[in-house]
Amino acid sequence: MNLKSYDYLIVGAGITAIVLAERLCTQKNKNILIVEKRDHIGGNCYDYINKAGVLIHKYGPHYFRTNSEKVLKYLSDFTSWHPFDYEIRAWTEKRFWNFPVNLNTFEQLIEKPSSTAEMEAWLKENRVPIANPKNSEEVILNQVGKELYEKFFLGYTQKQWRCHPTELDKSVCGRIPIRTNRDNRYLNDRFQALPKDGYTEMFNKMISSCGGKLKIILDCNYQKLSSSIRWNHMIYTGPIDCYYKYCFGKLPYRSLRFEHESYTPQEIVGLNNNFYGGYYQPTVQVNYPNDYKFTRIVEIKHATGQDCPNTTIVKEYPDDYSGLNEPYYPVPNTSSKVIFNKYRRLAIKEKNITFLGRLANYKYYNMDQVVALALKYTESK
Ligand code: FAD
Ligand code: UDP
């Protein structure tokens, strides 16, 4: 048998894997094999040009943001950026609201001009003071009180996670900023921009820089790899419970179903008479906390700045994870923590396997966080 040997086998070809491979090949002179079960690289960050000619994010909107100079400097070697302050709206009670909650939202609520001081006084009166918020309901009630919690958070969270916010870690709803100024941006991070030509293009540059030291096999579950392939160390970026054959039980995940609709400029005129400047909706994302079965509609062309006549919208329907669809979200709660810690204790003992990434570490990581983890790992080698 013709044996083929690699320094590293990396399972998965998401952003974690590609950063790892690029660093290990170009900085540590290692031979790498990546095995990915999907038919493309990039994991959930994958983007592509659809039949309407629109650059879209296949697995939901991926707004790159970071406070890390190091992560930004690293990725900037492989892409230039299209700066964009992600601004969204929430639709409820038959109207658009500024969201996340800020002074503009407050003015919509009280239906008259206001000030930061007035909003702060209102919050003081209406918030439910909770010294140490323990869950996603308490963290919001403590900041804004019942009315705004019920308007924007309760329904959305129940749809997305199919549980009550009291059953979710405070970090879930705690991700969303609350402001008393007029900052309308969805996120707080200093740097907010998309890779100018898309994520997949950025990943292709990273892969090209590895030359012949990196081989990628797509459409292949690593468990089906030929026995003629050998490696010294494995980095696993898939779901950790799957790796250990669910010996401590299944970890909970939430999945999504995406519905795409594309429109020509003429169709947009027919829909809204070009009310949103040729777009379907006013902002890149509109959240629907209380109406419909989907949680949000994303029109990514707002953010990519692509020069293209057509536009595409994507409706996001939360779904149970069945094992046949994708495990998009770890579910941060008390019982999943107990199960994950059992797997983690096994993982720590492994000599020749490292678990890295959103699914392998079972953490609600953003892209910049997994890039930072991958850089740290490769620096230690
Ligand atoms: P993944 O992208 O999940 O890659 C893991 C890969 O492993 C997958 O491609 C999978 O197919 C493969 N794999 C699994 N098992 C096997 C196997 N047995 N054999 C072979 N291959 C296998 N982050 C942000 O910073 N900003 C955002 O706006 C943002 N929006 C998001 C929206 C959605 C809907 C989702 C789901 C996530 C979002 N994220 C966002 C988070 C971001 O997607 C993750 O941080 C990032 O993709 C994690 O990368 P990863 O490589 O660890 O995991
Ligand atoms: N959330 C909410 N209402 C909103 C937006 C978010 O209740 O309008 C809550 C909800 O529980 C959601 C979480 O905050 O799952 C995190 O939202 P984010 O937009 O960061 O989710 P992601 O983009 O990761 O799906």
Side-chain angles (χ1 to χ4, degrees), residues 167-178:
E167 297 168 67
L168 283 172
D169 194 272
K170 64 178 178 189
S171 59
V172 177
C173 286
R175 284 163 64 85
I176 307 298
I178 308 282

Side-chain angles (χ1 to χ4, degrees), residues 16 36-37 44 61-63 65 221-222 358 365-367:
T16 306
E36 166 59 58
K37 67 182 168 68
N44 290 339
H62 276 69
Y63 307 134
R65 77 286 200 137
N221 189 320
Y222 85 101
R358 175 152 150 144
Y365 280 139
N366 294 323
M367 290 176 281

